[in-house]
Amino acid sequence: MHIPKGFKIDQGNTQDYVLKLHKNVYGQKQAGRVWNKYLTEKLINKVGFTQSKVDECVFYRGSVMYVLYTDDSILAGPNQDDIDRAIADIQAAGLEITIEGDIQDFLGVNIDRKEDGLIHLTQPHLIDQILEDLKMDENTITRKVPAPSSKLLSRHTDSPDFDHSFNYRSVIGKLNYLEKGSRSDIAYITHQCARFSTCPKKEHGDA
């Protein structure tokens, strides 16, 4: 890293030298990668987890599954004793974790366990943000089916440009996160609209 202002060196100009870091510093371009590498090595070599070959953010140890997103994580398993042992081993490996009990919310997704064993996932806050961005109120007419799967959006090069009545890219990004988290039923039309984020036309805004 560049030498901070105020430091002096015996010879030469401080602009001609850099500092070699012995420890990761928050804010660097590689900070996220360094943190992930450190945590992964701890979980695998110290705690005994196995990293998934399909999703590198998922780890397994026996019947316990560990899901990681930066510094937010979930421990899940059918046996509470196995989960408690995993927590104790993680702490013994020098990793500080906060235990918040049964999960109710993760990354903006509300998690509701039903009496019949089903798990209901919702994202009400994100949906409210999208409705506000689109200026839709409670009187807006809704549809049970988001869009016909047989219809493809085209470029509509001869149509007028989108009127920017809302931030097209922002709304598409939020819809994309919504369909990944809890609303897979809107995946098709969301991906259709996302194809034209760089130059949306009137038809794309209407969709």
Side-chain angles (χ1 to χ4, degrees), residues 168-189:
Y168 191 91
R169 285 190 179 185
S170 175
V171 169
I172 290 298
K174 292 176 181 178
L175 286 171
N176 193 42
Y177 187 74
L178 177 65
E179 63 93 356
K180 292 289 191 298
S182 61
R183 291 295 303 272
S184 57
D185 58 314
I186 65 171
Y188 176 79
I189 188 58

Side-chain angles (χ1 to χ4, degrees), residues 56-72:
E56 294 183 353
C57 294
V58 177
F59 300 82
Y60 301 95
R61 193 180 80 166
S63 62
V64 177
M65 181 175 66
Y66 184 67
V67 180
L68 172 68
Y69 186 86
T70 311
D71 57 354
D72 292 318

Side-chain angles (χ1 to χ4, degrees), residues 190-206:
T190 299
H191 295 173
Q192 282 287 305
C193 293
R195 295 166 56 212
F196 308 100
S197 295
T198 56
C199 186
K201 297 293 184 177
K202 179 181 182 301
E203 288 79 1
H204 307 138
D206 292 341

Side-chain angles (χ1 to χ4, degrees), residues 2-159:
H2 291 296
I3 298 178
K5 293 182 179 180
F7 281 82
K8 296 181 180 180
I9 58 177
D10 295 334
Q11 297 178 348
N13 192 323
T14 56
Q15 295 181 354
D16 297 330
Y17 294 86
V18 293
L19 297 178
K20 180 180 179 180
L21 299 176
H22 295 284
K23 188 176 181 180
N24 188 38
V25 176
Y26 181 81
Q28 295 183 104
K29 291 181 179 179
Q30 66 269 33
R33 177 181 177 276
V34 173
W35 160 246
N36 181 264
K37 183 179 179 182
Y38 169 81
L39 183 57
T40 299
E41 288 179 351
K42 286 276 189 178
L43 290 173
I44 295 175
N45 299 327
K46 299 292 184 180
V47 188
F49 276 95
T50 300
Q51 190 173 27
S52 170
K53 295 180 180 179
V54 178
D55 189 334
E56 294 183 353
C57 294
V58 177
F59 300 82
Y60 301 95
R61 193 180 80 166
S63 62
V64 177
M65 181 175 66
Y66 184 67
V67 180
L68 172 68
Y69 186 86
T70 311
D71 57 354
D72 292 318
S73 58
I74 300 175
L75 270 172
N79 189 295
Q80 186 61 47
D81 291 337
D82 291 341
I83 295 175
D84 292 339
R85 280 193 291 270
I87 292 174
D89 291 343
I90 290 173
Q91 292 173 328
L95 297 171
E96 297 182 7
I97 59 174
T98 302
I99 304 170
E100 298 183 353
D102 287 341
I103 188 169
Q104 296 179 340
D105 178 271
F106 187 70
L107 303 176
V109 180
N110 291 357
I111 303 171
D112 182 22
R113 294 187 179 187
K114 301 298 183 180
E115 294 181 356
D116 58 3
L118 294 177
I119 298 177
H120 189 213
L121 304 179
T122 56
Q123 293 171 275
H125 298 301
L126 180 58
I127 291 175
D128 288 342
Q129 289 178 13
I130 295 171
L131 293 176
E132 184 178 352
D133 291 345
L134 295 174
K135 300 178 177 60
M136 292 184 175
D137 55 28
E138 57 185 13
N139 297 319
T140 301
I141 299 175
T142 60
R143 297 178 181 178
K144 293 184 179 180
V145 180
S149 58
S150 58
K151 184 177 180 179
L152 290 173
L153 286 176
S154 60
R155 292 183 180 275
H156 296 286
T157 54
D158 296 331
S159 299

